[in-house]
Amino acid sequence: MAEEKKRVRRSVEERAAEIDKKIAAHKESIKMLEEKKAELFRPKKRRRSEAEIAKELIAKAKKAGMSSKDIAEKLGLELE
């Protein structure tokens, strides 16, 4: 006949330690999920279009005292 395996009984301390290990793993998962949730509510940087960037560059150049001709010259363009 086949041998019957006897069930190994764990002590209360062993079972409690296993449960503590599971609790710690779940707390870590909860912490990661809370961080992801907080990231959802953080304001994201707005992407600027090429036209906005160009306008800003021209405005800064004019504020620095450059004329349209100076700007075109620096860019290697000819104005008619």
Side-chain angles (χ1 to χ4, degrees):
M1 293 197 164
E3 288 184 34
E4 289 186 33
K5 290 186 179 180
K6 289 192 174 185
R7 186 171 157 194
V8 177
R9 296 205 172 202
R10 296 178 293 157
S11 69
V12 174
E13 290 81 17
E14 289 174 329
R15 289 186 291 176
E18 185 177 322
I19 291 172
D20 286 339
K21 190 168 33 170
K22 287 181 182 179
I23 289 171
H26 286 285
K27 282 184 179 180
E28 183 65 30
S29 296
I30 289 170
K31 182 180 176 185
M32 288 173 44
L33 288 172
E34 286 175 344
E35 288 174 6
K36 283 185 179 182
K37 180 182 172 184
E39 173 115 3
L40 290 174
F41 292 105
R42 281 193 203 113
K44 294 180 182 175
K45 289 187 176 182
R46 184 177 161 269
R47 289 187 178 182
R48 296 183 298 172
S49 68
E50 289 293 323
E52 290 174 327
I53 293 171
K55 277 184 182 179
E56 188 177 325
L57 288 173
I58 292 171
K60 286 184 179 183
K62 286 189 177 188
K63 191 174 184 178
M66 295 178 75
S67 67
S68 298
K69 287 183 181 181
D70 294 336
I71 296 169
E73 189 179 295
K74 292 278 185 183
L75 295 174
L77 303 173
E78 290 184 25
L79 291 179
E80 294 180 16

Coordinates of all heavy atoms in Angstrom, one line a residue:
M1 N 0.8 -1.2 0.0 CA 0.0 0.0 0.0 C 0.9 1.3 0.0 O 2.0 1.2 0.4 CB -0.9 0.0 1.2 CG -1.9 -1.0 1.2 SD -3.2 -0.5 2.4 CE -4.4 -1.6 1.9
A2 N 0.3 2.3 -0.5 CA 1.0 3.6 -0.6 C 1.1 4.2 0.8 O 0.2 4.1 1.6 CB 0.3 4.5 -1.5
E3 N 2.2 4.8 1.0 CA 2.4 5.4 2.3 C 1.6 6.7 2.4 O 1.5 7.5 1.5 CB 3.9 5.8 2.5 CG 4.8 4.6 2.8 CD 6.2 5.1 3.1 OE1 6.4 6.1 3.7 OE2 7.1 4.3 2.6
E4 N 1.0 7.0 3.5 CA 0.2 8.2 3.7 C 1.2 9.2 4.3 O 1.9 8.9 5.3 CB -0.9 7.9 4.7 CG -2.0 7.1 4.1 CD -3.2 7.0 5.0 OE1 -3.5 8.0 5.7 OE2 -3.8 6.0 5.0
K5 N 1.1 10.4 3.7 CA 1.9 11.5 4.3 C 1.2 12.1 5.4 O 0.0 12.4 5.4 CB 2.2 12.6 3.2 CG 3.1 12.1 2.1 CD 3.4 13.3 1.1 CE 4.3 12.9 0.1 NZ 4.6 13.9 -0.9
K6 N 2.0 12.3 6.5 CA 1.4 13.0 7.7 C 1.4 14.5 7.5 O 2.4 15.0 6.9 CB 2.1 12.6 8.9 CG 1.9 11.1 9.3 CD 2.4 10.9 10.7 CE 2.0 9.5 11.1 NZ 2.4 9.2 12.5
R7 N 0.4 15.1 7.9 CA 0.3 16.5 7.8 C 1.3 17.2 8.9 O 1.2 16.8 10.0 CB -1.1 17.0 8.1 CG -1.3 18.4 7.8 CD -2.8 18.7 7.9 NE -3.0 20.1 8.2 CZ -4.1 20.6 8.6 NH1 -5.2 19.9 8.7 NH2 -4.2 21.9 8.9
V8 N 2.1 18.1 8.4 CA 3.0 18.8 9.3 C 2.3 20.0 9.9 O 1.8 20.8 9.2 CB 4.3 19.3 8.6 CG1 5.2 20.0 9.5 CG2 5.0 18.1 8.0
R9 N 2.2 20.0 11.2 CA 1.5 21.2 11.8 C 2.5 22.2 12.2 O 3.6 21.9 12.8 CB 0.8 20.7 13.1 CG -0.3 19.7 12.7 CD -1.3 19.7 13.8 NE -2.5 18.9 13.3 CZ -3.7 19.1 13.7 NH1 -3.9 19.9 14.7 NH2 -4.6 18.3 13.3
R10 N 2.2 23.4 11.8 CA 3.1 24.5 12.1 C 2.7 25.1 13.4 O 1.5 25.1 13.8 CB 3.1 25.6 11.0 CG 3.6 25.1 9.7 CD 3.5 26.1 8.6 NE 2.1 26.3 8.3 CZ 1.6 27.5 7.8 NH1 2.4 28.4 7.5 NH2 0.3 27.6 7.6
S11 N 3.6 25.7 14.1 CA 3.3 26.4 15.4 C 2.6 27.7 15.1 O 2.6 28.2 14.0 CB 4.6 26.6 16.2 OG 5.4 27.6 15.5
V12 N 2.0 28.2 16.2 CA 1.3 29.5 16.1 C 2.3 30.6 15.7 O 1.9 31.5 14.9 CB 0.6 29.8 17.4 CG1 0.0 31.2 17.4 CG2 -0.4 28.8 17.8
E13 N 3.5 30.6 16.2 CA 4.5 31.6 15.9 C 4.8 31.6 14.4 O 5.0 32.6 13.8 CB 5.7 31.4 16.7 CG 5.6 31.7 18.2 CD 4.9 30.6 19.0 OE1 4.9 29.4 18.5 OE2 4.4 30.8 20.1
E14 N 5.0 30.4 13.8 CA 5.3 30.2 12.4 C 4.2 30.8 11.5 O 4.4 31.5 10.6 CB 5.5 28.8 12.0 CG 6.8 28.2 12.6 CD 7.0 26.7 12.3 OE1 5.9 26.0 12.2 OE2 8.1 26.3 12.1
R15 N 2.9 30.5 11.9 CA 1.8 31.0 11.1 C 1.7 32.5 11.3 O 1.4 33.2 10.3 CB 0.5 30.3 11.6 CG 0.4 28.9 11.1 CD -0.9 28.2 11.4 NE -1.0 28.1 12.9 CZ -2.1 27.7 13.5 NH1 -3.2 27.3 12.8 NH2 -2.2 27.6 14.8
A16 N 1.9 33.0 12.5 CA 1.9 34.5 12.7 C 3.0 35.2 11.9 O 2.7 36.2 11.3 CB 2.0 34.8 14.2
A17 N 4.2 34.6 11.8 CA 5.3 35.2 11.1 C 4.9 35.2 9.6 O 5.2 36.2 8.9 CB 6.5 34.4 11.3
E18 N 4.3 34.2 9.1 CA 3.9 34.1 7.7 C 2.9 35.2 7.4 O 2.9 35.9 6.4 CB 3.3 32.8 7.3 CG 3.0 32.6 5.9 CD 2.5 31.2 5.6 OE1 3.0 30.2 6.1 OE2 1.6 31.1 4.7
I19 N 1.9 35.4 8.3 CA 0.9 36.4 8.1 C 1.5 37.8 8.2 O 1.2 38.7 7.4 CB -0.2 36.3 9.2 CG1 -1.0 35.0 8.9 CG2 -1.1 37.5 9.2 CD1 -2.0 34.7 9.9
D20 N 2.5 38.0 9.1 CA 3.2 39.3 9.1 C 4.0 39.6 7.8 O 4.0 40.7 7.4 CB 4.2 39.3 10.3 CG 3.5 39.4 11.7 OD1 2.4 39.9 11.7 OD2 4.1 39.1 12.7
K21 N 4.5 38.6 7.2 CA 5.3 38.7 6.0 C 4.3 39.2 4.9 O 4.6 40.1 4.1 CB 6.0 37.4 5.6 CG 6.9 37.6 4.5 CD 7.9 36.5 4.2 CE 7.5 35.1 4.4 NZ 8.4 34.1 3.9
K22 N 3.1 38.6 4.9 CA 2.1 38.9 3.9 C 1.6 40.4 4.1 O 1.4 41.1 3.1 CB 0.9 38.0 3.9 CG 1.2 36.6 3.4 CD 0.0 35.7 3.4 CE 0.3 34.3 2.9 NZ -0.9 33.4 3.0
I23 N 1.4 40.7 5.3 CA 1.0 42.1 5.6 C 2.0 43.1 5.2 O 1.6 44.1 4.6 CB 0.7 42.3 7.2 CG1 -0.5 41.5 7.6 CG2 0.6 43.7 7.6 CD1 -0.7 41.4 9.1
A24 N 3.3 42.8 5.4 CA 4.3 43.7 4.9 C 4.3 43.9 3.4 O 4.5 45.0 2.9 CB 5.7 43.2 5.4
A25 N 4.1 42.8 2.7 CA 4.1 42.8 1.3 C 2.9 43.7 0.8 O 3.1 44.5 -0.2 CB 4.0 41.4 0.7
H26 N 1.8 43.5 1.4 CA 0.6 44.3 1.0 C 0.8 45.8 1.3 O 0.3 46.6 0.5 CB -0.7 43.7 1.6 CG -1.1 42.4 1.0 ND1 -1.7 42.3 -0.2 CD2 -1.0 41.2 1.5 CE1 -2.0 41.1 -0.5 NE2 -1.5 40.3 0.5
K27 N 1.4 46.1 2.4 CA 1.6 47.5 2.8 C 2.5 48.1 1.7 O 2.3 49.3 1.4 CB 2.3 47.6 4.2 CG 1.3 47.4 5.3 CD 1.9 47.6 6.6 CE 0.9 47.5 7.8 NZ 1.5 47.7 9.1
E28 N 3.5 47.4 1.3 CA 4.4 47.9 0.2 C 3.6 48.2 -1.1 O 3.8 49.2 -1.7 CB 5.6 47.0 -0.1 CG 6.6 47.4 -1.1 CD 7.3 48.7 -0.6 OE1 7.5 48.8 0.6 OE2 7.7 49.5 -1.5
S29 N 2.7 47.3 -1.4 CA 1.9 47.4 -2.6 C 1.0 48.7 -2.4 O 0.8 49.4 -3.4 CB 1.0 46.2 -2.8 OG 1.8 45.1 -3.1
I30 N 0.4 48.8 -1.3 CA -0.4 50.0 -1.0 C 0.4 51.3 -1.1 O -0.1 52.3 -1.7 CB -1.1 49.9 0.4 CG1 -2.1 48.8 0.4 CG2 -1.7 51.2 0.8 CD1 -2.6 48.4 1.8
K31 N 1.6 51.3 -0.6 CA 2.4 52.5 -0.7 C 2.7 52.8 -2.2 O 2.6 54.0 -2.6 CB 3.7 52.2 0.0 CG 4.7 53.4 0.0 CD 5.9 53.1 0.8 CE 6.9 54.2 0.7 NZ 8.2 53.8 1.4
M32 N 3.0 51.8 -3.0 CA 3.3 52.1 -4.4 C 2.0 52.6 -5.1 O 2.1 53.5 -5.9 CB 3.7 50.8 -5.1 CG 5.1 50.4 -4.7 SD 5.7 48.8 -5.3 CE 5.1 48.8 -7.0
L33 N 0.8 52.1 -4.8 CA -0.4 52.6 -5.4 C -0.7 54.0 -5.0 O -1.2 54.8 -5.8 CB -1.6 51.6 -5.0 CG -1.5 50.3 -5.7 CD1 -2.6 49.4 -5.1 CD2 -1.7 50.4 -7.2
E34 N -0.4 54.3 -3.7 CA -0.7 55.7 -3.3 C 0.2 56.7 -4.0 O -0.2 57.8 -4.3 CB -0.5 55.8 -1.8 CG -1.6 55.2 -1.0 CD -1.4 55.1 0.5 OE1 -0.2 55.3 1.0 OE2 -2.4 54.9 1.2
E35 N 1.5 56.3 -4.3 CA 2.4 57.1 -5.0 C 1.9 57.3 -6.5 O 2.0 58.4 -7.0 CB 3.8 56.5 -5.1 CG 4.5 56.6 -3.7 CD 5.8 55.8 -3.7 OE1 6.3 55.3 -4.8 OE2 6.5 55.7 -2.6
K36 N 1.4 56.3 -7.1 CA 0.8 56.4 -8.4 C -0.4 57.3 -8.4 O -0.6 58.2 -9.3 CB 0.4 55.0 -9.0 CG 1.5 54.2 -9.5 CD 1.0 52.9 -10.1 CE 2.1 52.0 -10.6 NZ 1.6 50.8 -11.2
K37 N -1.2 57.2 -7.4 CA -2.4 58.1 -7.3 C -2.0 59.6 -7.1 O -2.5 60.4 -7.8 CB -3.2 57.7 -6.1 CG -4.5 58.5 -5.9 CD -5.2 58.0 -4.7 CE -6.4 58.9 -4.4 NZ -7.1 58.6 -3.1
A38 N -1.0 59.8 -6.3 CA -0.5 61.2 -6.1 C 0.1 61.7 -7.4 O -0.1 62.9 -7.7 CB 0.6 61.2 -5.0
E39 N 0.7 60.9 -8.2 CA 1.3 61.3 -9.5 C 0.2 61.8 -10.4 O 0.4 62.7 -11.2 CB 2.1 60.2 -10.1 CG 2.5 60.5 -11.5 CD 4.0 60.5 -11.6 OE1 4.7 60.3 -10.6 OE2 4.5 60.8 -12.6
L40 N -1.0 61.2 -10.3 CA -2.1 61.6 -11.2 C -2.5 63.0 -10.9 O -3.0 63.7 -11.9 CB -3.3 60.7 -11.0 CG -3.2 59.2 -11.5 CD1 -4.4 58.4 -11.0 CD2 -3.0 59.2 -13.0
F41 N -2.4 63.5 -9.7 CA -2.9 64.8 -9.3 C -1.8 65.9 -9.4 O -2.1 67.1 -9.2 CB -3.5 64.8 -7.9 CG -4.8 64.0 -7.9 CD1 -4.8 62.8 -7.3 CD2 -5.9 64.5 -8.4 CE1 -6.0 62.0 -7.3 CE2 -7.1 63.8 -8.4 CZ -7.2 62.6 -7.8
R42 N -0.6 65.5 -9.7 CA 0.5 66.5 -9.9 C 0.3 67.2 -11.2 O 0.1 66.6 -12.2 CB 1.9 65.8 -9.8 CG 2.3 65.5 -8.5 CD 3.8 65.1 -8.5 NE 4.0 64.3 -7.3 CZ 4.4 63.0 -7.3 NH1 4.5 62.4 -8.4 NH2 4.5 62.4 -6.1
P43 N 0.5 68.5 -11.2 CA 0.3 69.2 -12.5 C 1.5 68.8 -13.4 O 2.6 68.7 -13.0 CB 0.4 70.7 -12.1 CG 1.1 70.7 -10.8 CD 0.8 69.4 -10.1
K44 N 1.1 68.6 -14.7 CA 2.1 68.3 -15.7 C 2.5 69.5 -16.4 O 1.8 70.5 -16.5 CB 1.5 67.3 -16.7 CG 1.1 66.0 -16.1 CD 0.5 65.0 -17.1 CE 0.1 63.7 -16.5 NZ -0.6 62.9 -17.4
K45 N 3.8 69.5 -16.9 CA 4.3 70.6 -17.6 C 3.6 70.6 -19.0 O 3.4 69.6 -19.6 CB 5.8 70.4 -17.8 CG 6.6 70.7 -16.6 CD 8.1 70.7 -16.9 CE 8.9 71.0 -15.6 NZ 10.3 71.1 -15.9
R46 N 3.2 71.8 -19.3 CA 2.5 72.0 -20.6 C 3.5 72.1 -21.7 O 4.5 72.8 -21.6 CB 1.7 73.3 -20.6 CG 0.9 73.5 -21.7 CD 0.0 74.8 -21.5 NE -0.4 75.3 -22.8 CZ 0.2 76.2 -23.6 NH1 1.3 76.7 -23.2 NH2 -0.2 76.6 -24.7
R47 N 3.2 71.4 -22.8 CA 4.1 71.4 -24.0 C 3.8 72.7 -24.8 O 2.7 73.0 -25.0 CB 3.9 70.2 -24.8 CG 4.5 68.9 -24.2 CD 4.4 67.8 -25.2 NE 5.0 66.6 -24.7 CZ 5.1 65.5 -25.3 NH1 4.7 65.4 -26.6 NH2 5.6 64.5 -24.8
R48 N 4.9 73.3 -25.2 CA 4.7 74.5 -26.0 C 4.8 74.2 -27.5 O 5.7 73.3 -27.8 CB 5.7 75.6 -25.6 CG 5.5 76.1 -24.2 CD 6.5 77.2 -23.8 NE 7.9 76.6 -24.0 CZ 9.0 77.3 -23.9 NH1 8.9 78.6 -23.7 NH2 10.2 76.8 -24.0
S49 N 4.0 74.8 -28.3 CA 4.1 74.6 -29.7 C 5.4 75.3 -30.3 O 5.9 76.2 -29.6 CB 2.9 75.0 -30.4 OG 2.8 76.5 -30.4
E50 N 5.7 75.0 -31.5 CA 6.9 75.6 -32.1 C 6.6 77.1 -32.3 O 7.5 78.0 -32.2 CB 7.1 75.0 -33.5 CG 7.7 73.6 -33.4 CD 9.1 73.6 -32.8 OE1 9.9 74.5 -33.1 OE2 9.4 72.6 -32.0
A51 N 5.3 77.5 -32.6 CA 5.0 78.9 -32.8 C 5.1 79.6 -31.5 O 5.6 80.8 -31.6 CB 3.5 78.9 -33.4
E52 N 4.7 79.1 -30.4 CA 4.9 79.7 -29.1 C 6.3 80.0 -28.8 O 6.7 81.0 -28.3 CB 4.2 78.9 -28.0 CG 2.7 78.9 -28.1 CD 2.0 78.0 -27.1 OE1 2.6 77.0 -26.8 OE2 0.9 78.3 -26.7
I53 N 7.2 79.0 -29.1 CA 8.6 79.1 -28.8 C 9.2 80.2 -29.7 O 10.0 81.0 -29.2 CB 9.3 77.7 -29.0 CG1 8.8 76.7 -28.0 CG2 10.8 77.9 -28.9 CD1 9.3 75.3 -28.2
A54 N 8.8 80.2 -30.9 CA 9.4 81.2 -31.9 C 8.9 82.6 -31.4 O 9.8 83.5 -31.4 CB 8.9 81.0 -33.3
K55 N 7.7 82.8 -31.0 CA 7.2 84.1 -30.5 C 8.0 84.5 -29.3 O 8.4 85.7 -29.2 CB 5.7 84.0 -30.2 CG 4.8 84.2 -31.3 CD 3.4 84.2 -30.8 CE 2.4 84.3 -31.9 NZ 1.0 84.3 -31.4
E56 N 8.2 83.6 -28.4 CA 9.0 83.9 -27.2 C 10.4 84.3 -27.5 O 10.9 85.3 -26.9 CB 8.9 82.7 -26.3 CG 9.5 83.0 -24.9 CD 9.4 81.7 -24.0 OE1 8.4 81.0 -24.1 OE2 10.3 81.6 -23.2
L57 N 11.0 83.6 -28.4 CA 12.4 83.9 -28.8 C 12.5 85.3 -29.4 O 13.4 86.1 -29.1 CB 13.0 82.9 -29.8 CG 13.3 81.5 -29.2 CD1 13.7 80.6 -30.3 CD2 14.4 81.6 -28.2
I58 N 11.6 85.6 -30.3 CA 11.6 87.0 -30.9 C 11.3 88.0 -29.9 O 12.0 89.1 -29.9 CB 10.5 87.0 -32.1 CG1 11.0 86.1 -33.2 CG2 10.3 88.4 -32.6 CD1 10.0 85.9 -34.3
A59 N 10.4 87.8 -29.0 CA 10.1 88.8 -28.0 C 11.3 89.0 -27.1 O 11.6 90.2 -26.7 CB 8.9 88.3 -27.1
K60 N 12.0 88.0 -26.7 CA 13.2 88.1 -25.9 C 14.3 88.9 -26.6 O 15.0 89.7 -26.0 CB 13.7 86.8 -25.4 CG 12.9 86.2 -24.3 CD 13.4 84.9 -23.8 CE 12.5 84.4 -22.6 NZ 13.1 83.2 -22.1
A61 N 14.5 88.6 -27.9 CA 15.5 89.3 -28.7 C 15.2 90.7 -28.8 O 16.1 91.6 -28.7 CB 15.6 88.6 -30.1
K62 N 13.9 91.1 -29.0 CA 13.5 92.5 -29.2 C 13.7 93.2 -27.8 O 14.1 94.4 -27.8 CB 12.1 92.6 -29.7 CG 12.0 92.3 -31.1 CD 10.6 92.6 -31.7 CE 10.7 92.3 -33.2 NZ 9.5 92.8 -33.9
K63 N 13.4 92.5 -26.7 CA 13.6 93.1 -25.4 C 15.0 93.3 -25.1 O 15.4 94.3 -24.4 CB 13.0 92.1 -24.3 CG 12.9 92.7 -23.0 CD 12.2 91.7 -22.0 CE 11.9 92.3 -20.7 NZ 11.2 91.4 -19.8
A64 N 15.9 92.5 -25.7 CA 17.4 92.7 -25.5 C 17.9 93.8 -26.4 O 19.1 94.1 -26.4 CB 18.1 91.4 -25.8
G65 N 17.0 94.4 -27.2 CA 17.4 95.6 -28.0 C 17.7 95.2 -29.4 O 18.3 96.1 -30.2
M66 N 17.4 94.1 -29.9 CA 17.7 93.7 -31.3 C 16.5 94.1 -32.2 O 15.4 94.0 -31.8 CB 17.9 92.2 -31.4 CG 19.2 91.7 -30.7 SD 19.4 89.9 -30.8 CE 19.9 89.7 -32.5
S67 N 16.8 94.5 -33.4 CA 15.8 94.9 -34.3 C 15.5 93.6 -35.2 O 16.2 92.6 -35.1 CB 16.2 96.0 -35.2 OG 17.3 95.6 -36.1
S68 N 14.5 93.7 -36.0 CA 14.1 92.6 -36.9 C 15.2 92.3 -37.8 O 15.5 91.1 -38.1 CB 12.8 92.9 -37.7 OG 11.8 93.1 -36.8
K69 N 15.9 93.3 -38.3 CA 17.1 93.1 -39.2 C 18.2 92.4 -38.5 O 18.8 91.5 -39.0 CB 17.6 94.5 -39.7 CG 16.6 95.1 -40.7 CD 17.2 96.4 -41.3 CE 16.2 97.0 -42.3 NZ 16.8 98.3 -42.8
D70 N 18.5 92.8 -37.2 CA 19.5 92.1 -36.4 C 19.2 90.6 -36.2 O 20.1 89.8 -36.3 CB 19.7 92.8 -35.1 CG 20.2 94.2 -35.1 OD1 20.9 94.5 -36.2 OD2 20.0 95.0 -34.2
I71 N 18.0 90.4 -35.9 CA 17.5 89.0 -35.7 C 17.7 88.2 -37.0 O 18.3 87.1 -37.0 CB 16.1 88.9 -35.2 CG1 15.9 89.6 -33.9 CG2 15.6 87.5 -35.1 CD1 14.5 89.8 -33.4
A72 N 17.3 88.7 -38.1 CA 17.4 88.0 -39.4 C 18.9 87.8 -39.7 O 19.3 86.7 -40.2 CB 16.7 88.8 -40.5
E73 N 19.7 88.8 -39.5 CA 21.1 88.7 -39.7 C 21.8 87.6 -38.9 O 22.6 86.8 -39.4 CB 21.8 90.0 -39.4 CG 23.2 90.1 -39.9 CD 23.8 91.5 -39.6 OE1 23.3 92.5 -40.1 OE2 24.7 91.6 -38.7
K74 N 21.4 87.5 -37.6 CA 21.9 86.4 -36.8 C 21.5 85.0 -37.3 O 22.3 84.1 -37.2 CB 21.5 86.6 -35.3 CG 22.0 87.8 -34.6 CD 23.4 87.5 -34.1 CE 23.8 88.7 -33.3 NZ 25.2 88.6 -32.8
L75 N 20.3 85.0 -37.8 CA 19.8 83.7 -38.3 C 20.3 83.4 -39.8 O 20.1 82.3 -40.3 CB 18.3 83.7 -38.3 CG 17.6 83.8 -37.0 CD1 16.1 83.9 -37.1 CD2 18.0 82.5 -36.2
G76 N 21.0 84.4 -40.4 CA 21.5 84.2 -41.7 C 20.4 84.3 -42.8 O 20.5 83.7 -43.8
L77 N 19.4 85.1 -42.5 CA 18.4 85.4 -43.4 C 18.5 86.8 -44.0 O 19.1 87.7 -43.4 CB 17.0 85.2 -42.7 CG 16.7 83.9 -42.1 CD1 15.4 84.0 -41.3 CD2 16.6 82.8 -43.1
E78 N 17.9 87.0 -45.2 CA 17.9 88.3 -45.8 C 16.5 88.8 -45.8 O 15.6 88.2 -46.2 CB 18.5 88.2 -47.2 CG 19.9 88.0 -47.3 CD 20.4 88.0 -48.7 OE1 19.8 88.7 -49.6 OE2 21.5 87.3 -49.0
L79 N 16.3 90.1 -45.3 CA 15.0 90.7 -45.4 C 15.0 91.7 -46.6 O 16.0 92.4 -46.8 CB 14.7 91.5 -44.1 CG 14.5 90.7 -42.9 CD1 14.2 91.6 -41.7 CD2 13.3 89.8 -43.0
E80 N 13.9 91.7 -47.3 CA 13.8 92.6 -48.4 C 13.1 93.8 -48.1 O 12.3 93.9 -47.3 CB 13.1 91.8 -49.6 CG 13.9 90.7 -50.1 CD 13.2 90.0 -51.2 OE1 12.2 90.5 -51.8 OE2 13.6 88.8 -51.5

